[in-house]
Amino acid sequence: MHELSIATAIIERAGELARAEGADTVSAVTVRVGELAGVVPDALDFAFEVARDGTALAAARLVVEQVPAQAWCGACAEEFAVGMPPFFWCPRCDRPSSDLRSGRELEITGIEPAVR
């Protein structure tokens, strides 16, 4: 389950960000996870709960914002959903696209320091 190593990295980085802001503990971490990132949000949430024990994020909640995979068709200037499994053919003009606009994200977008 690679979500455990991802959760551990999120916890470490969120702790660093909190310390940089002068906070000792974190109450929430928000992450964006793309549809094609290869991360199962429920598994990440479970792994986060396991990995946070004994850290500055011991009571923190994980907020996952799921990002749909979107591609761009240059031929008809249309953005379209890629779906899962991914299908990179434009539904409007039936041409292939290699311009993935979103869906691979895996990033921390915010932390909420705990209020004392």
Side-chain angles (χ1 to χ4, degrees):
M1 177 161 96
H2 73 280
E3 282 82 359
L4 183 57
S5 62
I6 293 168
T8 301
I10 290 169
I11 290 165
E12 289 173 3
R13 183 65 182 138
E16 291 169 3
L17 293 169
R19 286 188 296 280
E21 291 183 16
D24 294 332
T25 58
V26 174
S27 62
V29 179
T30 302
V31 296
R32 289 173 37 96
V33 178
E35 185 177 18
L36 302 178
V39 176
V40 177
D42 288 339
L44 179 60
D45 191 50
F46 176 77
F48 183 85
E49 288 184 24
V50 170
R52 70 183 180 180
D53 286 344
T55 72
L57 284 82
R61 62 187 165 80
L62 180 66
V63 179
V64 177
E65 296 175 352
Q66 295 185 23
V67 180
Q70 297 282 321
W72 177 258
C73 176
C76 65
E78 182 82 15
E79 191 169 88
F80 61 94
V82 172
M84 194 59 161
F87 188 70
F88 290 93
W89 288 85
C90 177
R92 184 171 177 198
C93 70
D94 200 33
R95 292 184 186 166
S97 171
S98 62
D99 188 358
L100 184 63
R101 294 282 171 104
S102 66
R104 287 197 257 161
E105 296 83 356
L106 182 52
E107 59 191 356
I108 297 172
T109 58
I111 62 165
E112 188 176 305
V115 178
R116 292 181 191 200

